[in-house]
Amino acid sequence: MAGIFVSLRLLQKLTGYNLHNEKATLLRIGQGDKQAFDELFKRYYASLVLYGEKCHLGREDAEDAAMDVLAKLWKGREKLPAVNYLPAYLYKAMKNACVDHLKKRNRSELTEKTYHQQGDPEDDAFALREAIRAEVLQRINEDIQALPDKYRTVFELTYHEGLNTAEIAARLGISVTNVTSRRNRALQMLKKELIKKDLLFIYFLLSQIR
Amino acid sequence: MDQELIQISSLILRHLEGRLSAYDAQQLESWKRADPLNARLFEELTDRAALEHQLNRLRAIDVHAALERFKHANNTDERSTPVQRPRVLVLRRKYWLGAAVMLMAAVSLFLLVNTRRVKNGKEQAHVLPILPRDSGAILTLSDGSQVLLDTIRDGIVALHAHDSARIVNGSLVYGAGMDRVAYNSMSTRTGTQYHLTLSDGTGVWLNSLSSIRYPTAFKGAERLVEISGEAYFEVARNKKLPFRVKIDEQSSVTVLGTSFNINSYRDERSVNTTLLEGLVRVNSGRDSISLSPGEQTQLRPSGGIIRTVALQDVSTVVAWKNGLFSFNNAGIEEMTRELKRWYGIDTRFEGPVPDKIFKGELDRGVKLEAVLNWFTALGIKNRLEGNTLIISNQP
């Protein structure tokens, strides 16, 4: 019975309150609940693709590999309720899928060089690092996604498209003051939400930008 | 991968939140040192520009389009109602039967979510929500007056003469430079714990049903405090002024600058001192021993050393100060002793004590009801009569 020592607090930290749902979701999927599976798909698809890209698959191959992993998961859904820690389970499956994909290619000199410089996908330490990366990023992204639409749009235009206040006002057809107030409101909400979730990080990120 | 993936991701997130404890920071540091590539990943996840770049890559992935393609390819398009199956039976078969050791966290998670769905019958019908209180303590000043520190998050406590202590973020802090030496004591009730900083900068975490007596300023040849129950110390280094913790007339622990935990609850079989960092000397009756980090010495309540063991994982011992119950191959008696102290209940066994072993951690913020539901799911019959938890194991 190795590897069963799991900290609830750590699990919560890592995946927030969604993890409470995760076990329930697995049970539902195990019973063939497709909606529950969709939830899981949305939670993990992007981070699995990101992981695949880090394994030197192109975006397209990475998407294929992620699809394969999730399709297998759905086919073997009967076994899901016994899965203890889903993220680790999924990244391990993704690791194997990536290695398979890479084996189909001929390992040219180029890939040898890439492996040497950027890490070998078959290496466990490499796999762990990339799983950590994907999880941390996914977790941060979820908090941004949780903002109400009208605030999130302003937030995204500001921080992801790099637009200034006037440009955003023009794009959304609202006043400059309105943009500023929405942005401040978004910051406040994030702070509150994040304090609630024990995740002040986004606020930290935002307060530096401000 | 499981454990490290959880641990390291959470350490990185906590680092970003600026809420790493000294112990966490050490763990993170040793992970970074283990491999230059770990250190690089850490940089990439904590540098703002790098982080934004990666977040943008993640967000560029069109999950919804992918889901549509997936549904098309795997024929999962139409919605279906899940077949209802008895959940508790599923749990027992999958998680419990045939396994002496059990993943506590995952199941309790499931139960926390599903408490309403678990059919407990009459057994659970009148369980009241017994909630742990969070942090809080009673401070007794040198003149015998008492201050309840339950809800005060920030403030000033007048001590005597012109001296005062501050409450910062729910923790009591004694500054240096007190006018005169007076003795204060702090005690916690069930379901509460408290952190205080002594005038020399030593940090003390006091577990529930515990107390500590200490001077408001340290004068003389040593820094002497007295405790009962359980406390964790991070002693400020001062070689000239040894720090001594008196447990009772027979036993004390002397330190120079170090982190350690003392569990001296009277309902435990032994008084356990566990060293995390530095060096301590434990004196009890005629026995005396120096501990190295990771070691625990167990004393007879009447004085004298029973034995000293090297622990594989000291984090279990101090998990309480991070708001967790932590069990490492614990029997149900050990577990109920913890519940007793935290929820302020009594416990009684009917019939033989169930032969179960627990391993794992549980947030101390959960309701007693959730823990009991979890027991029920594991086949441990229990009921609450007034304030007494009865574990029944009659055929």
Side-chain angles (χ1 to χ4, degrees):
Chain A
M1 297 293 284
I4 55 155
F5 189 69
V6 178
S7 149
L8 178 62
R9 174 65 64 90
L10 292 181
L11 287 171
Q12 283 182 349
K13 287 263 181 188
L14 189 66
T15 46
Y17 295 129
N18 289 341
L19 200 101
H20 284 267
N21 300 330
E22 193 157 276
K23 200 74 201 175
T25 304
L26 290 182
L27 288 162
R28 280 164 58 204
I29 297 172
Q31 292 164 5
D33 185 334
K34 289 171 184 175
Q35 248 167 315
F37 182 80
D38 290 355
E39 279 173 39
L40 181 143
F41 189 100
K42 288 183 209 154
R43 161 69 175 78
Y44 288 102
Y45 180 75
S47 51
L48 291 178
V49 173
L50 197 77
Y51 180 98
E53 288 186 321
K54 288 289 174 184
C55 291
H56 326 303
L57 297 180
R59 170 62 58 93
E60 217 167 287
D61 282 350
E63 293 215 31
D64 285 351
M67 286 279 189
D68 288 351
V69 166
L70 290 162
K72 270 189 198 150
L73 196 78
W74 173 249
K75 284 195 187 105
R77 58 186 172 276
E78 294 282 306
K79 284 174 260 157
L80 272 185
V83 170
N84 282 333
Y85 182 54
L86 185 64
Y89 181 83
L90 280 171
Y91 290 113
K92 266 183 229 163
M94 188 63 191
K95 175 194 167 187
N96 295 335
C98 290
V99 170
D100 287 349
H101 260 265
L102 290 166
K103 275 184 182 154
K104 278 182 214 155
R105 294 188 197 163
N106 286 329
R107 269 175 73 149
S108 60
E109 225 173 275
L110 187 71
T111 49
E112 291 296 347
K113 202 173 156 195
T114 314
Y115 284 9
H116 184 68
Q117 284 173 350
Q118 292 168 21
D120 179 352
E122 289 195 53
D123 175 28
D124 285 338
F126 172 88
L128 175 63
R129 270 193 301 276
E130 292 311 327
I132 291 170
R133 182 201 306 277
E135 268 308 287
V136 171
L137 291 171
Q138 169 65 25
R139 191 68 198 85
I140 295 168
N141 197 34
E142 272 171 27
D143 281 306
I144 298 169
Q145 295 296 328
L147 281 175
D149 277 352
K150 70 174 186 179
Y151 301 110
R152 197 180 66 234
T153 317
V154 172
F155 172 82
E156 286 176 345
L157 291 173
T158 308
Y159 301 115
H160 295 281
E161 293 190 25
L163 301 188
N164 65 32
T165 312
E167 286 165 340
I168 295 172
R171 173 89 70 99
L172 298 179
I174 55 177
S175 72
V176 170
T177 345
N178 200 335
V179 173
T180 316
S181 72
R182 281 191 195 186
R183 185 184 297 141
N184 290 340
R185 182 92 184 94
L187 286 170
Q188 276 172 7
M189 278 192 294
L190 272 175
K191 190 182 178 188
K192 219 166 134 196
E193 195 56 31
L194 294 168
I195 287 171
K196 216 159 67 189
K197 283 192 179 178
D198 243 5
L199 252 179
L200 280 161
F201 162 62
I202 300 289
Y203 182 66
F204 156 87
L205 184 89
L206 293 171
S207 55
Q208 284 203 337
I209 300 167
R210 221 167 13 162
Chain B
M1 185 196 271
D2 305 38
Q3 203 173 339
E4 264 196 294
L5 173 60
I6 308 164
Q7 272 179 352
I8 306 301
S9 312
S10 94
L11 286 176
I12 294 173
L13 284 167
R14 256 184 286 169
H15 167 86
L16 292 167
E17 295 158 22
R19 37 169 57 233
L20 272 191
S21 72
Y23 183 71
D24 289 340
Q26 225 174 43
Q27 302 275 93
L28 190 56
E29 210 39 55
S30 69
W31 173 76
K32 277 159 68 184
R33 264 202 308 268
D35 190 331
L37 292 172
N38 291 353
R40 197 165 84 187
L41 173 63
F42 180 79
E43 292 300 317
E44 288 167 0
L45 288 173
T46 50
D47 174 77
R48 216 201 104 222
L51 192 57
E52 274 203 45
H53 175 71
Q54 294 177 93
L55 275 174
N56 284 337
R57 286 190 71 88
L58 181 76
R59 294 155 69 89
I61 298 163
D62 191 341
V63 177
H64 290 277
L67 181 57
E68 289 313 311
R69 268 184 287 143
F70 184 88
K71 281 178 180 172
H72 186 73
N74 292 279
N75 196 25
T76 61
D77 226 342
E78 84 278 20
R79 300 274 174 260
S80 73
T81 335
V83 186
Q84 289 296 327
R85 273 199 255 159
R87 283 147 210 273
V88 174
L89 285 177
V90 171
L91 261 182
R92 279 182 185 149
R93 194 175 67 237
K94 298 279 185 197
Y95 286 91
W96 188 247
L97 276 185
V101 180
M102 153 93 220
L103 173 68
M104 178 169 180
V107 174
S108 48
L109 275 173
F110 161 72
L111 287 164
L112 286 173
V113 175
N114 288 282
T115 36
R116 260 170 266 121
R117 293 187 196 151
V118 178
K119 285 179 187 147
N120 298 313
K122 274 175 276 172
E123 277 176 11
Q124 296 290 314
H126 48 264
V127 174
L128 297 169
I130 296 185
L131 269 169
R133 288 181 274 264
D134 47 11
S135 103
I138 295 161
L139 174 68
T140 308
L141 303 177
S142 51
D143 62 359
S145 60
Q146 295 195 321
V147 186
L148 182 65
L149 299 176
D150 253 17
T151 50
I152 310 165
R153 298 297 299 167
D154 292 283
I156 287 174
V157 181
L159 300 175
H160 50 75
H162 300 295
D163 291 338
S164 60
R166 285 174 301 131
I167 301 176
V168 182
N169 216 356
S171 157
L172 186 65
V173 181
Y174 288 87
M178 293 282 177
D179 266 6
R180 83 194 154 90
V181 180
Y183 277 82
N184 288 0
S185 65
M186 170 88 75
S187 58
T188 50
R189 297 166 297 165
T190 57
T192 65
Q193 55 191 58
Y194 205 83
H195 175 263
L196 71 157
T197 306
L198 302 177
S199 59
D200 65 338
T202 292
V204 183
W205 282 257
L206 206 56
N207 203 346
S208 59
L209 284 181
S210 302
S211 71
I212 180 167
R213 184 169 179 272
Y214 50 91
T216 53
F218 291 106
K219 302 273 161 70
E222 63 174 6
R223 295 173 281 170
L224 179 68
V225 301
E226 287 172 47
I227 67 150
S228 71
E230 182 162 29
Y232 170 79
F233 290 88
E234 285 183 4
V235 175
R237 204 168 278 277
N238 183 347
K239 284 194 175 166
K240 287 179 196 147
L241 216 55
F243 193 96
R244 191 154 71 92
V245 182
K246 197 170 148 189
I247 301 164
D248 50 37
E249 288 313 315
Q250 288 80 37
S251 309
S252 70
V253 177
T254 307
V255 296
L256 293 172
T258 190
S259 309
F260 63 102
N261 189 78
I262 299 177
N263 178 338
S264 67
Y265 285 122
R266 288 178 179 197
D267 55 355
E268 294 289 343
R269 257 164 269 152
S270 57
V271 173
N272 298 340
T273 302
T274 312
L275 182 66
L276 281 85
E277 268 178 58
L279 190 69
V280 297
R281 184 149 201 91
V282 179
N283 296 297
S284 184
R286 282 183 217 141
D287 299 340
S288 169
I289 190 171
S290 288
L291 291 186
S292 304
E295 285 183 344
Q296 179 182 78
T297 186
Q298 301 169 354
L299 309 178
R300 259 178 228 100
S302 56
I305 293 169
I306 303 170
R307 59 185 173 154
T308 300
V309 290
L311 297 183
Q312 283 185 331
D313 185 8
V314 288
S315 66
T316 301
V317 177
V318 294
W320 64 267
K321 94 178 168 63
N322 301 322
L324 297 170
F325 292 116
S326 183
F327 302 102
N328 193 1
N329 297 330
I332 195 157
E333 281 175 299
E334 183 179 340
M335 187 174 218
T336 50
R337 276 201 299 273
E338 287 261 6
L339 297 180
K340 211 166 132 177
R341 291 195 287 258
W342 189 244
Y343 294 102
I345 52 170
D346 288 324
T347 52
R348 185 154 56 83
F349 289 93
E350 278 179 4
V353 176
D355 183 23
K356 310 264 191 209
I357 305 288
F358 300 93
K359 184 169 177 151
E361 293 183 348
L362 181 68
D363 197 298
R364 293 178 99 169
V366 302
K367 289 179 190 162
L368 179 62
E369 186 187 1
V371 180
L372 300 186
N373 280 330
W374 177 64
F375 276 175
T376 307
L378 300 183
I380 301 168
K381 278 193 200 155
N382 65 85
R383 64 181 192 277
L384 207 53
E385 281 180 6
N387 209 31
T388 306
L389 170 65
I390 297 152
I391 309 259
S392 156
N393 194 18
Q394 276 152 349

